[in-house]
Amino acid sequence: MNRTELLEASSYVKRQLKETPKIGLILGSGLGVLGDEIEEPIVIPYSDIPHFPESTVAGHKGQLIAGNLEGKQVIAMQGRFHYYEGYSMEQVTFPVRVMKDLGIESIIVTNAAGGINESFNPGDLMLITDHINNMGNNPLIGKNDEELGPRFPDLSQSYDREYIRYAEECAKEIGIQIQKGVYIGNTGPTYETPAEVRMLRAFGGDAVGMSTVPEVIVSRHAGIRVLGISCISNMAAGILDQPLTHHEVMETTERVRENFLTFVKKIISTLPL
Ligand code: HPA
């Protein structure tokens, strides 16, 4: 981690902000609409921020939006960086370091994921209880900067139990069914083979996607409390007798948009921050 680059990026963003954000939001495929709900938004395109990579996937916007959401100061990433785009793990997680430097104490990480657990349905929202890093890499490999976090971070409670309880309460209050489960992070960009999906199920995974794990690792390294939400956009390969398409992923996230928005807004209003 290059401290000079980090400080250049965060001081550029800080100069535009009026207030210190408390909650970071990483908005996954098709879920960026939450950013449009932020009041008095300050929008900062990634391309304006020194040392920020640029996002390349359709459906991912590529900007930071800071402002007020449900009475809380938030900063949202509308669009994230994926390892499969060719970015290094350090680049993928750079925005988390920046948001930490801006002052966030909590982060809500969202993604679209394939359902491995056969009791799930496309359109379900899943609270992530734990993850499996199946990416064959780790953003913390390399010299450790003790000021940013410990050499050997504990991941035994990466997904904050108290936040999961709050989120479950919120789901009850607004009357939506939610799932809970283990997220497996693969590199992508291919979807899995049916044999791989059977293997991932045997590993203990409930959902599989191509993001989130690096950002959560760095968040925990930095002492940020994490809540993770997957939108089950499709059943993983081989479960249903049909091919997977990015189109289906986007279509499902579009369909659950309202539930997703209501749910996350309720959570933000409830979190004691
Ligand atoms: N596999 C991996 N990543 C995904 C999937 C999937 O089935 N759906 C959405 N992202």
Side-chain angles (χ1 to χ4, degrees):
M1 166 81 332
N2 183 323
R3 286 289 282 283
T4 312
E5 290 184 0
L6 174 58
L7 290 176
E8 280 174 10
S10 67
S11 47
Y12 175 85
V13 176
K14 249 179 229 169
R15 281 199 295 275
Q16 336 260 329
L17 300 185
K18 294 196 199 92
E19 305 212 38
T20 299
K22 285 272 189 259
I23 306 175
L25 298 167
I26 302 182
L27 305 176
S29 300
L31 305 172
V33 286
L34 184 61
D36 302 333
E37 307 268 319
I38 295 172
E39 291 161 20
E40 297 167 50
I42 294 166
V43 179
I44 308 168
Y46 294 160
S47 53
D48 288 358
I49 307 171
H51 316 296
F52 241 62
E54 263 184 79
S55 137
T56 65
V57 188
H60 293 254
K61 266 191 185 163
Q63 54 193 24
L64 289 180
I65 308 182
N68 188 301
L69 188 60
E70 298 296 314
K72 305 277 161 68
Q73 285 301 318
V74 305
I75 185 158
M77 289 180 70
Q78 221 172 21
R80 61 147 60 83
F81 303 106
H82 298 89
Y83 191 49
Y84 64 72
E85 292 177 87
Y87 300 117
S88 66
M89 281 283 170
E90 193 174 305
Q91 287 176 304
V92 167
T93 55
F94 186 70
V96 176
R97 296 286 186 202
V98 171
M99 290 191 286
K100 167 71 184 181
D101 203 55
L102 296 174
I104 67 161
E105 293 163 14
S106 311
I107 194 161
I108 302 180
V109 185
T110 67
N111 58 56
I116 295 174
N117 185 322
E118 287 174 297
S119 73
F120 290 1
N121 289 299
D124 282 350
L125 296 175
M126 183 189 90
L127 291 172
I128 305 176
T129 55
D130 202 352
H131 76 221
I132 293 172
N133 178 3
N134 199 40
M135 290 185 158
N137 201 344
N138 190 305
L140 302 181
I141 288 175
K143 193 172 177 311
N144 187 57
D145 185 336
E146 286 291 326
E147 281 183 37
L148 297 182
R151 171 74 289 187
F152 300 110
D154 173 35
L155 295 183
S156 59
Q157 261 194 60
S158 299
Y159 298 83
D160 197 280
R161 282 188 199 159
E162 196 184 1
Y163 285 6
I164 291 173
R165 271 204 307 278
Y166 282 123
E168 287 181 298
E169 278 302 310
C170 290
K172 242 188 243 157
E173 276 180 42
I174 61 174
I176 63 164
Q177 290 272 352
I178 43 158
Q179 308 285 5
K180 283 198 289 184
V182 173
Y183 176 90
I184 298 195
N186 272 357
T187 64
T190 49
Y191 292 114
E192 298 66 38
T193 64
E196 286 165 349
V197 171
R198 290 192 296 274
M199 175 190 77
L200 297 175
R201 184 180 298 122
F203 278 1
D206 295 293
V208 57
M210 309 177 192
S211 66
T212 301
V213 165
E215 295 108 311
V216 169
I217 289 174
V218 165
S219 295
R220 295 308 300 143
H221 183 246
I224 301 166
R225 295 174 75 178
V226 175
L227 179 73
I229 305 171
S230 290
C231 168
I232 305 300
S233 54
N234 56 279
M235 293 313 287
I239 297 178
L240 305 174
D241 194 19
Q242 63 186 45
L244 298 189
T245 63
H246 184 59
H247 180 74
E248 180 190 0
V249 171
M250 300 309 282
E251 219 170 45
T252 310
T253 50
E254 167 79 35
R255 178 162 64 79
V256 300
R257 168 186 291 191
E258 283 310 314
N259 266 357
F260 173 78
L261 289 178
T262 314
F263 185 42
V264 180
K265 280 159 64 177
K266 181 79 183 168
I267 292 169
I268 290 170
S269 75
T270 307
L271 285 186
L273 281 170

Short mmCIF file of all heavy atoms in Angstrom, two decimals, residues 225-270:
data_model
loop_
_atom_site.label_atom_id
_atom_site.label_comp_id
_atom_site.label_asym_id
_atom_site.label_seq_id
_atom_site.Cartn_x
_atom_site.Cartn_y
_atom_site.Cartn_z
N ARG A 225 -16.33 -2.13 10.61
CA ARG A 225 -17.37 -3.15 10.81
C ARG A 225 -18.13 -3.38 9.50
O ARG A 225 -18.47 -2.42 8.80
CB ARG A 225 -18.34 -2.73 11.91
CG ARG A 225 -17.65 -2.64 13.27
CD ARG A 225 -18.58 -2.08 14.31
NE ARG A 225 -19.58 -3.06 14.74
CZ ARG A 225 -20.48 -2.80 15.70
NH1 ARG A 225 -20.52 -1.62 16.30
NH2 ARG A 225 -21.36 -3.73 16.04
N VAL A 226 -18.42 -4.65 9.20
CA VAL A 226 -18.93 -5.02 7.88
C VAL A 226 -20.32 -5.64 7.96
O VAL A 226 -20.59 -6.49 8.79
CB VAL A 226 -17.99 -6.06 7.21
CG1 VAL A 226 -18.57 -6.55 5.89
CG2 VAL A 226 -16.60 -5.49 7.00
N LEU A 227 -21.18 -5.18 7.04
CA LEU A 227 -22.42 -5.90 6.76
C LEU A 227 -22.39 -6.24 5.27
O LEU A 227 -22.11 -5.37 4.44
CB LEU A 227 -23.64 -5.02 7.07
CG LEU A 227 -24.99 -5.69 6.79
CD1 LEU A 227 -25.29 -6.76 7.83
CD2 LEU A 227 -26.12 -4.66 6.77
N GLY A 228 -22.68 -7.49 4.94
CA GLY A 228 -22.65 -7.91 3.53
C GLY A 228 -24.01 -8.41 3.09
O GLY A 228 -24.66 -9.18 3.81
N ILE A 229 -24.45 -7.97 1.93
CA ILE A 229 -25.74 -8.41 1.40
C ILE A 229 -25.56 -8.86 -0.04
O ILE A 229 -25.06 -8.11 -0.88
CB ILE A 229 -26.79 -7.27 1.42
CG1 ILE A 229 -26.92 -6.68 2.83
CG2 ILE A 229 -28.15 -7.78 0.92
CD1 ILE A 229 -27.77 -5.42 2.88
N SER A 230 -25.98 -10.11 -0.31
CA SER A 230 -25.98 -10.62 -1.69
C SER A 230 -27.39 -10.60 -2.23
O SER A 230 -28.33 -10.99 -1.54
CB SER A 230 -25.47 -12.06 -1.74
OG SER A 230 -24.10 -12.12 -1.45
N CYS A 231 -27.50 -10.16 -3.47
CA CYS A 231 -28.76 -10.34 -4.18
C CYS A 231 -28.58 -11.60 -5.02
O CYS A 231 -27.71 -11.66 -5.90
CB CYS A 231 -29.02 -9.11 -5.07
SG CYS A 231 -30.35 -9.40 -6.23
N ILE A 232 -29.37 -12.61 -4.73
CA ILE A 232 -29.26 -13.86 -5.49
C ILE A 232 -29.91 -13.62 -6.86
O ILE A 232 -31.14 -13.61 -6.99
CB ILE A 232 -29.96 -15.03 -4.74
CG1 ILE A 232 -29.41 -15.17 -3.31
CG2 ILE A 232 -29.81 -16.33 -5.52
CD1 ILE A 232 -27.92 -15.45 -3.19
N SER A 233 -29.07 -13.40 -7.83
CA SER A 233 -29.58 -12.96 -9.14
C SER A 233 -29.92 -14.14 -10.03
O SER A 233 -30.63 -13.98 -11.03
CB SER A 233 -28.54 -12.08 -9.82
OG SER A 233 -27.31 -12.76 -9.88
N ASN A 234 -29.42 -15.30 -9.69
CA ASN A 234 -29.65 -16.50 -10.51
C ASN A 234 -29.26 -17.70 -9.67
O ASN A 234 -28.55 -17.55 -8.68
CB ASN A 234 -28.74 -16.44 -11.77
CG ASN A 234 -27.27 -16.29 -11.39
OD1 ASN A 234 -26.80 -15.18 -11.10
ND2 ASN A 234 -26.55 -17.39 -11.34
N MET A 235 -29.71 -18.87 -10.07
CA MET A 235 -29.18 -20.07 -9.44
C MET A 235 -27.86 -20.39 -10.13
O MET A 235 -27.73 -20.21 -11.36
CB MET A 235 -30.17 -21.23 -9.55
CG MET A 235 -31.46 -21.01 -8.74
SD MET A 235 -31.18 -20.45 -7.03
CE MET A 235 -30.56 -21.96 -6.29
N ALA A 236 -26.87 -20.83 -9.36
CA ALA A 236 -25.54 -21.10 -9.91
C ALA A 236 -25.64 -22.21 -10.97
O ALA A 236 -26.61 -22.97 -11.02
CB ALA A 236 -24.58 -21.48 -8.79
N ALA A 237 -24.61 -22.29 -11.78
CA ALA A 237 -24.62 -23.16 -12.96
C ALA A 237 -24.98 -24.61 -12.63
O ALA A 237 -24.55 -25.15 -11.61
CB ALA A 237 -23.26 -23.11 -13.64
N GLY A 238 -25.80 -25.21 -13.47
CA GLY A 238 -26.10 -26.62 -13.35
C GLY A 238 -27.28 -26.94 -12.45
O GLY A 238 -27.77 -28.06 -12.44
N ILE A 239 -27.76 -25.95 -11.68
CA ILE A 239 -28.88 -26.22 -10.77
C ILE A 239 -30.18 -26.23 -11.57
O ILE A 239 -31.01 -27.12 -11.42
CB ILE A 239 -28.94 -25.18 -9.62
CG1 ILE A 239 -27.67 -25.30 -8.75
CG2 ILE A 239 -30.19 -25.39 -8.77
CD1 ILE A 239 -27.58 -24.30 -7.62
N LEU A 240 -30.34 -25.23 -12.42
CA LEU A 240 -31.48 -25.23 -13.34
C LEU A 240 -30.93 -25.58 -14.72
O LEU A 240 -29.76 -25.32 -15.01
CB LEU A 240 -32.15 -23.85 -13.37
CG LEU A 240 -32.59 -23.28 -12.02
CD1 LEU A 240 -33.10 -21.86 -12.18
CD2 LEU A 240 -33.66 -24.18 -11.40
N ASP A 241 -31.77 -26.14 -15.57
CA ASP A 241 -31.27 -26.58 -16.87
C ASP A 241 -31.32 -25.42 -17.86
O ASP A 241 -32.10 -25.45 -18.80
CB ASP A 241 -32.11 -27.77 -17.36
CG ASP A 241 -31.42 -28.46 -18.53
OD1 ASP A 241 -30.21 -28.26 -18.71
OD2 ASP A 241 -32.12 -29.19 -19.26
N GLN A 242 -30.53 -24.38 -17.57
CA GLN A 242 -30.51 -23.23 -18.48
C GLN A 242 -29.17 -22.51 -18.35
O GLN A 242 -28.54 -22.55 -17.29
CB GLN A 242 -31.65 -22.26 -18.12
CG GLN A 242 -31.54 -21.67 -16.73
CD GLN A 242 -32.76 -20.83 -16.34
OE1 GLN A 242 -33.90 -21.23 -16.55
NE2 GLN A 242 -32.49 -19.67 -15.76
N PRO A 243 -28.71 -21.88 -19.42
CA PRO A 243 -27.42 -21.17 -19.35
C PRO A 243 -27.52 -19.90 -18.51
O PRO A 243 -28.61 -19.36 -18.33
CB PRO A 243 -27.10 -20.84 -20.81
CG PRO A 243 -28.36 -20.99 -21.57
CD PRO A 243 -29.32 -21.80 -20.75
N LEU A 244 -26.38 -19.44 -18.00
CA LEU A 244 -26.33 -18.20 -17.22
C LEU A 244 -25.94 -17.04 -18.12
O LEU A 244 -25.06 -17.17 -18.95
CB LEU A 244 -25.27 -18.29 -16.12
CG LEU A 244 -25.43 -19.36 -15.06
CD1 LEU A 244 -24.42 -19.14 -13.95
CD2 LEU A 244 -26.83 -19.29 -14.50
N THR A 245 -26.58 -15.92 -17.90
CA THR A 245 -26.19 -14.73 -18.67
C THR A 245 -26.13 -13.52 -17.75
O THR A 245 -26.82 -13.45 -16.73
CB THR A 245 -27.22 -14.42 -19.78
OG1 THR A 245 -28.48 -14.12 -19.16
CG2 THR A 245 -27.39 -15.58 -20.73
N HIS A 246 -25.27 -12.59 -18.14
CA HIS A 246 -25.18 -11.32 -17.40
C HIS A 246 -26.53 -10.61 -17.46
O HIS A 246 -26.93 -9.92 -16.53
CB HIS A 246 -24.06 -10.45 -18.00
CG HIS A 246 -23.82 -9.17 -17.26
ND1 HIS A 246 -23.46 -9.14 -15.92
CD2 HIS A 246 -23.86 -7.88 -17.64
CE1 HIS A 246 -23.31 -7.89 -15.53
NE2 HIS A 246 -23.55 -7.10 -16.56
N HIS A 247 -27.24 -10.82 -18.58
CA HIS A 247 -28.56 -10.21 -18.75
C HIS A 247 -29.51 -10.67 -17.63
O HIS A 247 -30.23 -9.86 -17.05
CB HIS A 247 -29.11 -10.59 -20.13
CG HIS A 247 -30.47 -10.03 -20.40
ND1 HIS A 247 -30.67 -8.69 -20.68
CD2 HIS A 247 -31.69 -10.60 -20.41
CE1 HIS A 247 -31.95 -8.48 -20.85
NE2 HIS A 247 -32.60 -9.61 -20.68
N GLU A 248 -29.50 -11.98 -17.34
CA GLU A 248 -30.37 -12.51 -16.28
C GLU A 248 -30.00 -11.86 -14.93
O GLU A 248 -30.87 -11.49 -14.14
CB GLU A 248 -30.23 -14.04 -16.19
CG GLU A 248 -31.12 -14.65 -15.09
CD GLU A 248 -30.82 -16.12 -14.82
OE1 GLU A 248 -29.92 -16.69 -15.47
OE2 GLU A 248 -31.49 -16.68 -13.93
N VAL A 249 -28.69 -11.73 -14.70
CA VAL A 249 -28.22 -11.13 -13.45
C VAL A 249 -28.78 -9.72 -13.31
O VAL A 249 -29.33 -9.34 -12.27
CB VAL A 249 -26.67 -11.12 -13.41
CG1 VAL A 249 -26.16 -10.30 -12.23
CG2 VAL A 249 -26.12 -12.55 -13.35
N MET A 250 -28.68 -8.94 -14.40
CA MET A 250 -29.15 -7.56 -14.34
C MET A 250 -30.67 -7.49 -14.23
O MET A 250 -31.22 -6.63 -13.54
CB MET A 250 -28.69 -6.78 -15.59
CG MET A 250 -27.18 -6.71 -15.76
SD MET A 250 -26.29 -6.14 -14.29
CE MET A 250 -26.61 -4.40 -14.41
N GLU A 251 -31.35 -8.43 -14.91
CA GLU A 251 -32.81 -8.44 -14.88
C GLU A 251 -33.33 -8.71 -13.47
O GLU A 251 -34.27 -8.07 -12.99
CB GLU A 251 -33.31 -9.54 -15.83
CG GLU A 251 -34.52 -9.18 -16.63
CD GLU A 251 -34.79 -10.22 -17.69
OE1 GLU A 251 -34.72 -11.44 -17.37
OE2 GLU A 251 -35.05 -9.83 -18.84
N THR A 252 -32.71 -9.66 -12.79
CA THR A 252 -33.17 -10.00 -11.43
C THR A 252 -32.89 -8.86 -10.47
O THR A 252 -33.75 -8.51 -9.65
CB THR A 252 -32.48 -11.29 -10.92
OG1 THR A 252 -32.60 -12.29 -11.90
CG2 THR A 252 -33.10 -11.75 -9.62
N THR A 253 -31.70 -8.26 -10.56
CA THR A 253 -31.40 -7.17 -9.62
C THR A 253 -32.37 -6.01 -9.86
O THR A 253 -32.79 -5.35 -8.92
CB THR A 253 -29.93 -6.69 -9.74
OG1 THR A 253 -29.61 -6.43 -11.09
CG2 THR A 253 -28.98 -7.71 -9.18
N GLU A 254 -32.75 -5.81 -11.10
CA GLU A 254 -33.76 -4.79 -11.43
C GLU A 254 -35.10 -5.12 -10.77
O GLU A 254 -35.76 -4.27 -10.18
CB GLU A 254 -33.91 -4.76 -12.97
CG GLU A 254 -35.10 -4.00 -13.53
CD GLU A 254 -34.85 -2.50 -13.54
OE1 GLU A 254 -33.69 -2.11 -13.78
OE2 GLU A 254 -35.82 -1.75 -13.30
N ARG A 255 -35.46 -6.41 -10.81
CA ARG A 255 -36.74 -6.85 -10.26
C ARG A 255 -36.79 -6.67 -8.74
O ARG A 255 -37.84 -6.37 -8.17
CB ARG A 255 -36.95 -8.32 -10.65
CG ARG A 255 -38.21 -8.97 -10.12
CD ARG A 255 -38.55 -10.24 -10.92
NE ARG A 255 -37.56 -11.31 -10.82
CZ ARG A 255 -37.43 -12.14 -9.79
NH1 ARG A 255 -38.22 -12.02 -8.74
NH2 ARG A 255 -36.52 -13.09 -9.80
N VAL A 256 -35.66 -6.89 -8.05
CA VAL A 256 -35.68 -6.80 -6.58
C VAL A 256 -35.25 -5.42 -6.08
O VAL A 256 -35.12 -5.21 -4.88
CB VAL A 256 -34.80 -7.87 -5.91
CG1 VAL A 256 -35.26 -9.25 -6.28
CG2 VAL A 256 -33.34 -7.70 -6.26
N ARG A 257 -35.04 -4.52 -7.03
CA ARG A 257 -34.55 -3.19 -6.69
C ARG A 257 -35.30 -2.54 -5.52
O ARG A 257 -34.70 -2.08 -4.56
CB ARG A 257 -34.65 -2.30 -7.93
CG ARG A 257 -34.46 -0.84 -7.66
CD ARG A 257 -34.71 -0.03 -8.90
NE ARG A 257 -33.67 -0.27 -9.89
CZ ARG A 257 -33.52 0.46 -11.00
NH1 ARG A 257 -34.34 1.43 -11.26
NH2 ARG A 257 -32.55 0.19 -11.83
N GLU A 258 -36.64 -2.56 -5.57
CA GLU A 258 -37.43 -1.87 -4.54
C GLU A 258 -37.20 -2.48 -3.16
O GLU A 258 -36.98 -1.78 -2.18
CB GLU A 258 -38.92 -1.88 -4.89
CG GLU A 258 -39.32 -0.86 -5.95
CD GLU A 258 -38.79 0.57 -5.66
OE1 GLU A 258 -38.92 1.03 -4.49
OE2 GLU A 258 -38.22 1.19 -6.58
N ASN A 259 -37.26 -3.83 -3.12
CA ASN A 259 -37.00 -4.52 -1.84
C ASN A 259 -35.61 -4.21 -1.33
O ASN A 259 -35.41 -3.96 -0.13
CB ASN A 259 -37.09 -6.05 -2.04
CG ASN A 259 -38.47 -6.57 -1.72
OD1 ASN A 259 -39.34 -5.80 -1.30
ND2 ASN A 259 -38.68 -7.85 -1.93
N PHE A 260 -34.66 -4.25 -2.23
CA PHE A 260 -33.27 -3.99 -1.86
C PHE A 260 -33.12 -2.58 -1.29
O PHE A 260 -32.53 -2.39 -0.23
CB PHE A 260 -32.37 -4.19 -3.09
CG PHE A 260 -30.93 -3.78 -2.86
CD1 PHE A 260 -30.06 -4.61 -2.16
CD2 PHE A 260 -30.46 -2.57 -3.33
CE1 PHE A 260 -28.75 -4.22 -1.93
CE2 PHE A 260 -29.15 -2.18 -3.11
CZ PHE A 260 -28.29 -3.01 -2.41
N LEU A 261 -33.71 -1.61 -1.99
CA LEU A 261 -33.61 -0.21 -1.54
C LEU A 261 -34.25 -0.03 -0.17
O LEU A 261 -33.67 0.58 0.74
CB LEU A 261 -34.29 0.72 -2.55
CG LEU A 261 -33.58 0.91 -3.90
CD1 LEU A 261 -34.41 1.83 -4.80
CD2 LEU A 261 -32.19 1.48 -3.70
N THR A 262 -35.47 -0.56 -0.04
CA THR A 262 -36.19 -0.43 1.23
C THR A 262 -35.39 -1.06 2.37
O THR A 262 -35.25 -0.49 3.46
CB THR A 262 -37.57 -1.11 1.14
OG1 THR A 262 -38.19 -0.72 -0.08
CG2 THR A 262 -38.46 -0.76 2.30
N PHE A 263 -34.85 -2.24 2.09
CA PHE A 263 -34.11 -3.00 3.10
C PHE A 263 -32.86 -2.25 3.55
O PHE A 263 -32.64 -2.01 4.74
CB PHE A 263 -33.75 -4.37 2.52
CG PHE A 263 -33.10 -5.31 3.49
CD1 PHE A 263 -33.54 -5.43 4.81
CD2 PHE A 263 -32.03 -6.10 3.09
CE1 PHE A 263 -32.94 -6.32 5.70
CE2 PHE A 263 -31.42 -7.00 3.96
CZ PHE A 263 -31.87 -7.10 5.26
N VAL A 264 -32.05 -1.83 2.59
CA VAL A 264 -30.78 -1.20 2.96
C VAL A 264 -31.03 0.16 3.64
O VAL A 264 -30.35 0.52 4.59
CB VAL A 264 -29.83 -1.06 1.75
CG1 VAL A 264 -28.53 -0.40 2.16
CG2 VAL A 264 -29.54 -2.43 1.14
N LYS A 265 -32.04 0.89 3.15
CA LYS A 265 -32.35 2.17 3.79
C LYS A 265 -32.80 1.98 5.23
O LYS A 265 -32.42 2.73 6.14
CB LYS A 265 -33.39 2.94 2.97
CG LYS A 265 -32.74 3.65 1.77
CD LYS A 265 -33.69 3.98 0.66
CE LYS A 265 -34.75 4.96 1.02
NZ LYS A 265 -35.60 5.28 -0.18
N LYS A 266 -33.61 0.96 5.43
CA LYS A 266 -34.06 0.65 6.79
C LYS A 266 -32.87 0.31 7.69
O LYS A 266 -32.78 0.76 8.84
CB LYS A 266 -35.05 -0.52 6.73
CG LYS A 266 -35.62 -0.93 8.07
CD LYS A 266 -36.73 -0.01 8.49
CE LYS A 266 -37.26 -0.40 9.88
NZ LYS A 266 -38.13 0.64 10.42
N ILE A 267 -31.95 -0.48 7.14
CA ILE A 267 -30.76 -0.86 7.92
C ILE A 267 -29.96 0.40 8.28
O ILE A 267 -29.55 0.58 9.43
CB ILE A 267 -29.87 -1.84 7.14
CG1 ILE A 267 -30.59 -3.20 6.98
CG2 ILE A 267 -28.53 -2.04 7.84
CD1 ILE A 267 -29.91 -4.14 6.01
N ILE A 268 -29.77 1.27 7.31
CA ILE A 268 -28.97 2.48 7.56
C ILE A 268 -29.63 3.34 8.62
O ILE A 268 -28.96 3.89 9.50
CB ILE A 268 -28.73 3.25 6.24
CG1 ILE A 268 -27.77 2.45 5.35
CG2 ILE A 268 -28.18 4.65 6.51
CD1 ILE A 268 -27.64 2.97 3.94
N SER A 269 -30.95 3.44 8.55
CA SER A 269 -31.63 4.26 9.55
C SER A 269 -31.54 3.64 10.94
O SER A 269 -31.58 4.34 11.94
CB SER A 269 -33.09 4.50 9.16
OG SER A 269 -33.85 3.34 9.37
N THR A 270 -31.37 2.31 10.99
CA THR A 270 -31.37 1.60 12.28
C THR A 270 -29.99 1.50 12.92
O THR A 270 -29.87 1.49 14.14
CB THR A 270 -31.91 0.16 12.07
OG1 THR A 270 -33.17 0.25 11.42
CG2 THR A 270 -32.08 -0.57 13.38
#
